[in-house]
């Protein structure tokens, strides 16, 4: 590991307990900064309501740390929107944001568009599929941005147990076995090509916060590559010392099957490749195999290759911020 990274781990890796909530609130009042929490959601009616309710109860009603909670629905067919609204969020449909640019499927697309429907100086992203959610996730990653003007982006770090089929009495978990794409794809890529980022425990984690002034200057990969792309681009734009991470405990969420993880890994590799060379990929697709009646049958999926430009280049955003 680079000496620079060892130093960074000592000076830019914290625990949620390092910043008491009263100190964070004092810094918020002194700075006059506002905080938006954004949850990208697609068919998450089972979990999104509890997450919104916890944030609203702890960080809007009890302590006014969060100024708005926005759920961006990317086309749910279940009751995600109704559940989120009932719990206290403002719900906006992805397709209603910036309609002159047709939306494409993908998490990064939703995060990019959320900049246009939020007002916070600090934007905190939280995945909508978390279980046993704690408001420490938000406090932990927002805290450094309010108390340290030299920090521009903060990622949550946590244990990610892998949920396994149980013995009939419930699910079992395998400690430390979650985050398979992180360990098999993202971490090797970062260590080999961007070793300054090797200190991030959860580089692909969906819980992170950043200053709007940074986010609006970043391109957003539209799909699963958004977290890796954002880290790499932020490193080049503001430097390692402007990035940080905070330990918030344990993250429990829904796990995807191996083929879905393969598609995710391919998108992340493509995102890295674009940043390494900005070259032309002859075949931006991934072929996987499923057993059918005649043996193994190929299934080919497109790999996310589109990116949205920095929001500061979008006329509607410039007009809104100038108003």
């Amino acid at each position: 590991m680079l000496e620079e990274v060892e130093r960074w781990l000592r000076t830019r890796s914290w625990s949620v307990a390092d910043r008491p909530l009263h100190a964070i609130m004092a810094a918020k009042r002194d700075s006059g900064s506002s905080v938006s929490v954004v949850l990208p959601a697609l068919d998450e009616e089972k979990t999104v309501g509890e997450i919104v309710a916890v944030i609203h109860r702890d960080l809007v009603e009890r302590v006014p740390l969060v100024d708005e909670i926005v759920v961006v629905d990317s086309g749910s067919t279940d009751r995600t929107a109704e559940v989120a609204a009932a719990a206290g969020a403002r719900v906006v449909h992805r397709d209603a944001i910036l309609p002159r640019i047709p939306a494409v499927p993908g998490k990064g697309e939703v995060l990019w568009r959320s900049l246009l429907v939020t007002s916070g100086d600090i934007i905190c992203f939280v995945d909508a599929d978390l279980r046993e959610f704690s408001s420490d996730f938000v406090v932990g990653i927002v805290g450094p941005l309010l108390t340290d003007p030299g920090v521009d982006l903060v990622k949550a770090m946590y244990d990610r147990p892998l949920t396994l089929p149980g013995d009939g009495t419930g699910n079992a978990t395998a400690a430390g076995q979650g985050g398979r794409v992180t360990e098999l794809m993202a971490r090797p890529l970062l260590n080999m090509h961007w070793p300054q980022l090797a200190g991030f425990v959860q580089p692909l984690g969906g819980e992170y916060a950043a200053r709007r002034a940074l986010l609006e200057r970043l391109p957003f990969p539209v799909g699963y590559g958004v977290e890796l792309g954002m880290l790499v681009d932020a490193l080049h734009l503001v430097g390692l010392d402007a990035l940080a991470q905070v330990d918030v405990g344990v993250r429990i969420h829904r796990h995807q099957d191996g083929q879905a993880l393969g598609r995710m890994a391919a998108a992340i590799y493509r995102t890295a490749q674009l940043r390494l060379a900005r070259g032309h990929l002859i075949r931006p697709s991934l072929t996987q195999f499923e057993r059918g009646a005649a043996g193994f049958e190929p299934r080919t999926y497109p790999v996310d290759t589109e990116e949205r430009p920095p929001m500061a280049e979008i006329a509607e955003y410039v007009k809104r911020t100038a108003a």
Side-chain angles (χ1 to χ4, degrees), residues 89-112:
R90 175 164 58 92
V91 180
V92 185
H93 195 282
R94 174 200 63 195
D95 296 346
I97 308 170
L98 200 61
R100 75 170 176 87
I101 299 178
V104 297
K107 178 183 179 181
E109 177 83 353
V110 173
L111 301 184
W112 181 71

Side-chain angles (χ1 to χ4, degrees), residues 250-318:
V250 179
R251 183 187 198 266
I252 301 175
H253 63 109
R254 182 185 66 252
H255 292 280
Q256 301 191 57
D257 63 34
Q259 292 210 334
L261 295 179
R263 296 190 289 275
M264 184 185 300
I268 289 164
Y269 180 79
R270 172 59 172 164
T271 300
Q273 184 193 49
L274 285 170
R275 279 152 180 77
L276 286 168
R278 295 292 174 181
H280 177 66
L281 183 63
I282 295 174
R283 187 174 179 270
S285 58
L286 173 72
T287 298
Q288 298 176 318
F289 294 87
E290 297 178 6
R291 186 182 289 280
F296 284 103
E297 300 174 354
R299 300 284 188 273
T300 299
Y301 302 90
V303 174
D304 295 319
T305 58
E306 187 172 356
E307 296 195 6
R308 294 306 191 190
M311 188 58 79
E313 297 177 7
I314 300 298
E316 289 89 338
Y317 184 83
V318 173

